[in-house]
Coordinates of all heavy atoms in Angstrom, one line a residue:
R1 N -74.0 -117.6 -68.3 CA -72.7 -117.5 -68.7 C -71.8 -118.5 -68.2 O -70.9 -119.1 -68.9 CB -72.2 -116.1 -68.2 CG -70.7 -115.7 -68.8 CD -70.5 -114.3 -68.5 NE -69.2 -113.9 -69.1 CZ -68.1 -114.1 -68.6 NH1 -68.0 -114.5 -67.3 NH2 -66.9 -113.6 -69.2
E2 N -72.1 -118.9 -66.9 CA -71.3 -120.1 -66.3 C -71.4 -121.5 -67.1 O -70.5 -122.1 -67.3 CB -71.6 -120.2 -65.0 CG -71.3 -119.2 -63.9 CD -72.2 -117.9 -64.0 OE1 -73.3 -118.2 -64.8 OE2 -72.1 -116.9 -63.6
A3 N -72.6 -121.7 -67.5 CA -72.8 -122.9 -68.2 C -72.2 -122.9 -69.6 O -71.6 -123.9 -70.2 CB -74.4 -123.1 -68.5
S4 N -72.2 -121.7 -70.2 CA -71.5 -121.6 -71.6 C -70.0 -121.7 -71.3 O -69.4 -122.4 -72.2 CB -71.8 -120.3 -72.1 OG -73.1 -120.0 -72.4
A5 N -69.5 -121.1 -70.2 CA -68.0 -121.4 -70.0 C -67.7 -122.9 -69.7 O -66.5 -123.3 -70.1 CB -67.7 -120.6 -68.7
A6 N -68.6 -123.5 -69.2 CA -68.3 -125.0 -68.9 C -68.0 -125.8 -70.1 O -67.2 -126.6 -70.1 CB -69.4 -125.7 -68.2
D7 N -68.8 -125.4 -71.2 CA -68.5 -126.2 -72.4 C -67.5 -125.6 -73.3 O -67.3 -125.9 -74.5 CB -69.7 -126.5 -73.2 CG -70.4 -125.3 -73.7 OD1 -69.8 -124.1 -73.7 OD2 -71.7 -125.4 -74.0
G8 N -66.8 -124.6 -72.8 CA -65.6 -124.0 -73.6 C -66.1 -122.9 -74.6 O -65.2 -122.4 -75.3
R9 N -67.5 -122.6 -74.6 CA -67.8 -121.7 -75.8 C -67.6 -120.1 -75.4 O -67.6 -119.3 -76.3 CB -69.2 -122.0 -76.2 CG -69.4 -123.2 -76.9 CD -70.8 -123.4 -77.5 NE -71.7 -123.7 -76.3 CZ -72.7 -122.9 -75.8 NH1 -72.9 -121.8 -76.5 NH2 -73.4 -123.3 -74.8
T10 N -67.4 -119.9 -74.1 CA -67.2 -118.4 -73.7 C -65.8 -118.4 -73.1 O -65.4 -119.0 -72.3 CB -68.3 -118.2 -72.6 OG1 -69.6 -118.2 -73.1 CG2 -68.0 -116.6 -72.2
K11 N -65.2 -117.4 -73.7 CA -63.7 -117.1 -73.2 C -63.8 -116.0 -72.2 O -64.7 -115.2 -72.3 CB -62.9 -116.6 -74.4 CG -62.8 -117.6 -75.6 CD -62.1 -117.0 -76.8 CE -62.0 -117.9 -77.9 NZ -61.3 -117.3 -79.1
P12 N -62.7 -116.1 -71.3 CA -62.6 -114.8 -70.3 C -62.5 -113.5 -71.1 O -61.9 -113.4 -72.2 CB -61.4 -115.2 -69.6 CG -61.1 -116.7 -69.8 CD -61.7 -116.9 -71.1
V13 N -63.0 -112.5 -70.5 CA -63.0 -111.2 -71.1 C -62.0 -110.3 -70.3 O -62.1 -110.1 -69.1 CB -64.4 -110.5 -71.0 CG1 -64.4 -109.1 -71.6 CG2 -65.4 -111.3 -71.8
V14 N -61.0 -109.7 -71.0 CA -60.2 -108.8 -70.5 C -60.5 -107.4 -71.0 O -60.7 -107.1 -72.2 CB -58.7 -109.1 -71.0 CG1 -57.6 -108.0 -70.5 CG2 -58.3 -110.5 -70.7
M15 N -60.7 -106.6 -70.0 CA -61.1 -105.1 -70.2 C -59.9 -104.3 -70.1 O -59.1 -104.2 -69.2 CB -62.0 -104.6 -69.2 CG -62.4 -103.1 -69.3 SD -63.0 -102.7 -71.1 CE -64.7 -103.2 -71.0
L16 N -59.4 -103.7 -71.2 CA -58.3 -102.8 -71.4 C -58.8 -101.3 -71.2 O -59.7 -101.0 -71.9 CB -57.5 -102.9 -72.7 CG -56.9 -104.4 -73.0 CD1 -56.2 -104.4 -74.2 CD2 -56.0 -104.7 -71.8
D17 N -58.1 -100.5 -70.5 CA -58.6 -99.2 -70.2 C -57.5 -98.3 -70.5 O -56.7 -97.9 -69.5 CB -59.0 -99.1 -68.7 CG -59.3 -97.6 -68.3 OD1 -60.0 -97.0 -69.1 OD2 -59.0 -97.2 -67.2
P18 N -57.4 -97.7 -71.7 CA -56.4 -96.8 -72.0 C -56.8 -95.4 -71.3 O -57.8 -94.9 -71.5 CB -56.6 -96.4 -73.5 CG -57.4 -97.7 -74.1 CD -58.2 -98.0 -72.9
G19 N -55.9 -95.0 -70.4 CA -56.3 -93.7 -69.5 C -56.4 -92.5 -70.3 O -55.9 -92.3 -71.5
H20 N -57.0 -91.5 -69.6 CA -57.2 -90.3 -70.2 C -58.1 -90.2 -71.5 O -58.9 -91.0 -71.7 CB -55.9 -89.5 -70.3 CG -55.2 -89.6 -69.2 ND1 -55.3 -88.8 -68.0 CD2 -54.0 -90.3 -68.7 CE1 -54.5 -89.0 -67.0 NE2 -53.7 -90.0 -67.5
G21 N -57.9 -89.2 -72.3 CA -58.7 -89.2 -73.6 C -59.6 -87.9 -73.6 O -60.0 -87.4 -72.7
G22 N -59.7 -87.4 -74.9 CA -60.8 -86.3 -75.1 C -60.1 -85.0 -74.5 O -59.1 -84.6 -74.7
V23 N -60.9 -84.5 -73.6 CA -60.6 -83.2 -72.8 C -59.5 -83.4 -71.8 O -58.9 -82.4 -71.5 CB -61.8 -82.6 -72.1 CG1 -62.9 -82.2 -73.1 CG2 -62.4 -83.5 -71.1
D24 N -59.0 -84.6 -71.7 CA -58.1 -84.9 -70.7 C -56.8 -85.6 -71.4 O -57.0 -86.9 -71.5 CB -58.5 -85.8 -69.6 CG -57.5 -86.3 -68.5 OD1 -56.5 -85.7 -68.6 OD2 -57.7 -87.5 -68.1
P25 N -55.9 -84.9 -71.9 CA -54.8 -85.6 -72.6 C -53.9 -86.4 -71.8 O -52.9 -87.1 -72.3 CB -54.2 -84.5 -73.5 CG -54.4 -83.3 -72.5 CD -55.8 -83.5 -71.9
G26 N -53.8 -86.2 -70.5 CA -52.8 -86.7 -69.6 C -51.6 -85.9 -69.6 O -51.6 -84.8 -69.9
A27 N -50.4 -86.7 -69.4 CA -49.1 -86.0 -69.4 C -48.8 -85.7 -71.0 O -49.3 -86.3 -71.9 CB -48.1 -87.0 -69.0
E28 N -48.0 -84.7 -71.0 CA -47.5 -84.3 -72.5 C -46.0 -84.0 -72.5 O -45.5 -83.3 -71.5 CB -48.3 -83.0 -73.0 CG -49.7 -83.3 -73.2 CD -50.5 -82.1 -73.6 OE1 -50.1 -81.8 -74.9 OE2 -51.4 -81.5 -73.0
R29 N -45.2 -84.5 -73.4 CA -43.9 -84.4 -73.5 C -43.5 -84.3 -75.0 O -43.8 -85.2 -75.7 CB -43.0 -85.5 -72.8 CG -43.0 -85.4 -71.3 CD -42.3 -84.1 -70.7 NE -42.2 -84.3 -69.2 CZ -43.2 -83.9 -68.4 NH1 -44.3 -83.4 -68.8 NH2 -43.1 -83.8 -67.1
D30 N -42.7 -83.3 -75.3 CA -42.2 -83.3 -76.8 C -43.2 -83.4 -77.7 O -43.1 -84.0 -78.8 CB -41.1 -84.3 -77.0 CG -40.0 -84.1 -75.9 OD1 -39.7 -83.0 -75.5 OD2 -39.2 -85.2 -75.8
G31 N -44.4 -82.7 -77.6 CA -45.5 -82.9 -78.5 C -46.3 -84.1 -78.4 O -47.2 -84.4 -79.3
V32 N -45.9 -85.1 -77.4 CA -46.6 -86.4 -77.5 C -47.6 -86.3 -76.2 O -47.2 -85.9 -75.1 CB -45.6 -87.5 -77.3 CG1 -46.2 -88.8 -77.3 CG2 -44.6 -87.5 -78.5
R33 N -48.8 -87.0 -76.5 CA -49.7 -86.9 -75.3 C -49.9 -88.4 -74.8 O -50.0 -89.4 -75.7 CB -51.1 -86.5 -75.8 CG -51.1 -85.1 -76.6 CD -52.5 -84.5 -76.9 NE -53.3 -85.5 -77.5 CZ -54.7 -85.4 -77.6 NH1 -55.2 -84.3 -77.1 NH2 -55.4 -86.4 -78.1

């Protein structure tokens, strides 16, 4: 991966983690989860 990054072919990866989900809806207000 490092060699690929050196020639610009591999971009950094950002992991987005939307919290909760499924059996765990998180906070709830006015019908919004």
